[in-house]
Amino acid sequence: MTTELQVDSEVTLSPPSTFLSPCSKFRILVLGNPEATKQELFSKVFGVELEKRLVSDTFDPKHNIESELDLQGQNDRLAVHASPNFLNGDQRNYNRVLEFLSRRSASADYTEHVHMIWYCVSTSEEDRCISDLEKHFFTQDITSVHVPVVLVYTKYDEFVSRVMLEWMKGAGSTERGVSKVAVGHILKDISSKKFEEDIGRHWNMILPFSIPRVCVSSGDEDDDIRSFQQLANSTLASLKGEADVKLAFATAQRSSPVISTQFCAEAATDYYEVDTGHARKIHGVDMRDILPNFFAKAAQIFNLRDPSSVLTDPLLLNRVLDSTFGTHQKPLLAESLRRSGTESGSILLSLSPHERAVLLTQALAGIVLFLHMLADSQWPHAETLPTSAPLSPGYTFSTPTTPHFPSHSGSINTDLSQRQISRELEDLRLGTGKSILLDTIESSSIFTECQLKQDISELILKAVTLAEKSEITGAGENNYRFAYHQHHDAMFLEGGYGGDEDGVGKGAAMGDSLSAADMIRDMSMTFVNDNNELREGTAGEGKVKLACGLTILPLN
């Protein structure tokens, strides 16, 4: 869309065409087996819909590990290699994997390196033992391969279902209602405890504490989808110190628009300079050059499914800004896109450096908000909210209703279209979010008290987040799309990658129609993934803060 922008002899904006060139693909090695690793790993984290057989075949011992998984052109920012894990004790396969990692690490092209390993362990495998090769890999060879690893417990929903079935056949079958305390008791003493006894503690004994452990489910309920977002967050957090690789993952993943928004906010800082506590637009570059340059880069970061290239419409940027700004600001925006700020007679000459910085920041944040809305709409939401239903006996507290999400079966077209673009622009124009976004930036003190460029990034991220929250507050039954991602990505924004200050992730709400089993599965998923005490092999004795906001006190 945009070629190199030479403004003057002092400043040259990096062209969008080379924005991702230092690491153009995120390369991942998945170690598992056909039973332990399903196509949901790729569909829900990377937005790639593949047939189950195609995915399963890549974990056959005869499959060439050098051959990338055929993604059928659905995600150009991703390269996937696969191989059986080391459960069967196949020394030949073990050596092949180590040689593959060593050979890739020696490449001069960083894109050819393996950037992450997902080691998949199925929780549906009864009495699974850890093989000697697995012990050797995690205790000795893991340090020599120099590749981050995330241990992925798959099919967790099946594990919890078995636990619940056993409970229902026993004492649980006599219960007509379940109190909040009983839910916490079941959660701690059955679901998480049994997981820890049967699976978790065995791995905790051999794994370095630095290796994240994430449980993922195969379904499409709220907790299932959230588990894959936790996998994305843990993967990103494990990529320490490699900015180009982190950016590559941010562009490859499609599970969390918040991750994309964060990296867009960081990319926006290239257009500013900070001097004597003041944040200003970079000197010598006009907004008419900055805005299309940033829009093209931001579109790459969000990596939307756009086979028709609707995002390359040369008029789209103008439409986004027109939907973002109020009537009194539109003439100024039109002038900034049409003329240089230094031209004689330009109304931009009347703006102070402070006012120019505010205007630029509002425009950049508006672009990010629009792309975030588009990314959010690519999730296959149901057309209507679930109808209200009485709570199960024993549940007396009310929670916000959340949308239901159908299966990622590939039957729903998630590709961008001009109609979808127009709909999102209209939502942006008529919604309350844009006013919050503009006001948040205009009232900020960072333009006179800025110390680091990161302050600008945080302001943009804050403005977009508050804009979303305002949409949630006023969302009706046909306008709930923001609620889902704000709800599920809150653990990333508010608590970092590992959870909030209590070490417990946020982001799960329970609909009124959920059954007791559904609620227990939802809460046990969050408990196992977010409670750091489980990683140390001990069950926490203190209070537990659940994803729904409920705090469960210990039974004495």
Side-chain angles (χ1 to χ4, degrees):
M1 176 195 296
T2 307
T3 58
E4 186 168 348
L5 299 169
Q6 183 71 38
V7 180
D8 57 25
S9 58
E10 296 181 1
V11 180
T12 301
L13 296 180
S14 61
S17 59
T18 62
F19 179 54
L20 299 175
S21 57
C23 188
S24 59
K25 284 189 177 184
F26 183 77
R27 190 173 300 275
I28 186 170
L29 170 63
V30 183
L31 298 175
N33 58 56
E35 290 74 33
T37 313
K38 290 189 174 183
Q39 69 269 36
E40 283 88 349
L41 277 174
F42 308 113
S43 65
K44 292 181 181 177
V45 176
F46 299 110
V48 176
E49 301 286 349
L50 301 172
E51 295 182 2
K52 182 177 180 179
R53 173 59 64 88
L54 175 63
V55 175
S56 298
D57 287 348
T58 61
F59 295 93
D60 188 289
K62 298 179 181 179
H63 174 73
N64 183 4
I65 192 174
E66 288 285 355
S67 298
E68 298 179 16
L69 179 63
D70 183 8
L71 304 181
Q72 302 170 356
Q74 298 181 57
N75 195 333
D76 294 335
R77 301 302 179 191
L78 177 66
V80 177
H81 298 268
S83 178
N85 59 25
F86 309 135
L87 173 62
N88 293 330
D90 186 341
Q91 185 68 50
R92 182 177 179 181
N93 175 60
Y94 186 83
N95 294 338
R96 182 184 65 161
V97 170
L98 293 185
E99 291 171 1
F100 167 76
L101 293 171
S102 176
R103 186 167 55 253
R104 285 280 173 175
S105 298
S107 173
D109 184 356
Y110 208 59
T111 301
E112 296 298 317
H113 289 202
V114 175
H115 307 124
M116 173 58 60
I117 297 173
W118 284 350
Y119 195 92
C120 299
V121 175
S122 176
T123 60
S124 66
E125 297 172 350
E126 297 288 346
D127 302 322
R128 186 198 192 283
C129 298
I130 302 175
S131 71
D132 291 338
L133 285 182
E134 287 178 321
K135 294 178 182 178
H136 194 273
F137 178 74
F138 284 105
T139 58
Q140 299 185 43
D141 288 332
I142 195 69
T143 57
S144 63
V145 298
H146 302 296
V147 180
V149 180
V150 174
L151 183 67
V152 184
Y153 297 113
T154 62
K155 295 188 176 182
Y156 185 72
D157 52 331
E158 296 182 14
F159 174 85
V160 174
S161 295
R162 293 199 308 273
V163 173
M164 290 306 304
L165 182 61
E166 294 173 2
W167 178 72
M168 293 298 293
K169 289 180 178 179
S173 61
T174 63
E175 298 292 334
R176 295 297 181 183
V178 184
S179 69
K180 287 185 277 188
V181 175
V183 169
H185 183 73
I186 293 171
L187 170 65
K188 295 181 66 174
D189 292 347
I190 298 181
S191 297
S192 60
K193 184 175 180 180
K194 187 168 180 58
F195 175 83
E196 182 64 18
E197 290 178 349
D198 293 356
I199 300 173
R201 67 184 179 90
H202 301 294
W203 287 97
N204 292 339
M205 292 174 64
I206 69 167
L207 261 63
F209 183 76
S210 59
I211 294 180
R213 277 137 266 194
V214 180
C215 294
V216 296
S217 294
S218 302
D220 293 283
E221 299 300 326
D222 284 358
D223 60 312
D224 302 328
I225 297 173
R226 185 181 67 251
S227 70
F228 286 93
Q229 292 175 329
Q230 288 174 318
L231 175 57
N233 291 338
S234 294
T235 299
L236 179 59
S238 299
L239 301 172
K240 299 177 181 178
E242 299 293 347
D244 293 333
V245 176
K246 288 183 177 181
L247 179 59
F249 175 74
T251 62
Q253 69 84 32
R254 287 167 170 159
S255 64
S256 173
V258 171
I259 292 178
S260 304
T261 295
Q262 178 195 352
F263 278 81
C264 280
E266 292 177 1
T269 61
D270 291 341
Y271 307 106
Y272 296 84
E273 54 191 23
V274 176
D275 184 30
T276 62
H278 292 75
R280 297 290 183 259
K281 179 183 71 68
I282 190 171
H283 178 71
V285 186
D286 290 318
M287 282 184 61
R288 65 177 179 178
D289 297 324
I290 289 176
L291 296 182
N293 185 275
F294 176 73
F295 185 89
K297 292 178 179 178
Q300 293 181 65
I301 292 175
F302 273 93
N303 190 21
L304 300 171
R305 296 179 62 156
D306 185 22
S308 300
S309 302
V310 296
L311 291 178
T312 62
D313 181 353
L315 298 179
L316 181 55
L317 174 60
N318 298 59
R319 296 172 65 193
V320 172
L321 297 176
D322 184 74
S323 298
T324 301
F325 285 87
T327 303
H328 67 288
Q329 291 175 300
K330 289 180 181 179
L332 193 60
L333 259 295
E335 182 85 353
S336 67
L337 289 173
R338 186 173 59 248
R339 304 178 63 182
S340 170
T342 59
E343 279 187 37
S344 176
S346 172
I347 59 176
L348 298 175
L349 288 174
S350 63
L351 296 182
S352 67
H354 177 98
E355 292 170 328
R356 295 189 187 197
V358 170
L359 184 65
L360 173 62
T361 308
Q362 290 173 327
L364 297 179
I367 291 172
V368 176
L369 177 59
F370 168 71
L371 291 173
H372 190 124
M373 293 168 63
L374 280 180
D376 184 78
S377 68
Q378 286 201 331
W379 283 84
H381 298 305
E383 294 183 357
T384 58
L385 289 170
T387 56
S388 300
L391 292 175
S392 301
Y395 294 114
T396 59
F397 57 99
S398 61
T399 56
T401 302
T402 57
H404 170 72
F405 304 95
S407 172
H408 289 71
S409 61
S411 60
I412 298 178
N413 182 13
T414 58
D415 294 340
L416 288 183
S417 65
Q418 288 291 354
R419 181 178 180 181
Q420 184 180 356
I421 293 287
S422 297
R423 183 174 65 247
E424 298 302 328
L425 287 172
E426 186 71 0
D427 287 346
L428 177 61
R429 184 177 70 84
L430 298 177
T432 60
K434 70 175 187 179
S435 297
I436 300 296
L437 180 140
L438 297 174
D439 292 344
T440 298
I441 293 172
E442 185 172 2
S443 61
S444 174
S445 61
I446 74 155
F447 300 104
T448 55
E449 299 177 0
C450 186
Q451 300 299 322
L452 300 170
K453 285 187 177 182
Q454 182 182 353
D455 297 338
I456 304 168
S457 172
E458 292 175 353
L459 174 61
I460 293 175
L461 189 61
K462 175 184 176 182
V464 174
T465 303
L466 292 177
E468 289 183 290
K469 289 183 178 180
S470 70
E471 293 289 346
I472 294 170
T473 302
E477 289 192 356
N478 293 320
N479 186 23
Y480 59 78
R481 68 171 184 275
F482 282 106
Y484 173 69
H485 278 298
Q486 191 275 340
H487 159 72
H488 285 292
D489 288 330
M491 57 186 171
F492 181 79
L493 274 178
E494 299 181 23
Y497 301 109
D500 61 12
E501 64 274 12
D502 295 324
V504 182
K506 302 186 176 98
M510 297 181 293
D512 291 345
S513 60
L514 292 182
S515 66
D518 290 334
M519 294 180 72
I520 292 170
R521 186 167 73 96
D522 180 24
M523 290 184 290
S524 62
M525 171 73 74
T526 304
F527 185 84
V528 171
N529 276 341
D530 294 336
N531 195 318
N532 290 329
E533 290 174 334
L534 285 182
R535 297 183 180 180
E536 299 174 355
T538 59
E541 298 298 331
K543 64 181 181 179
V544 178
K545 184 177 180 182
L546 300 180
C548 61
L550 174 68
T551 298
I552 297 179
L553 300 178
L555 294 177
N556 296 322

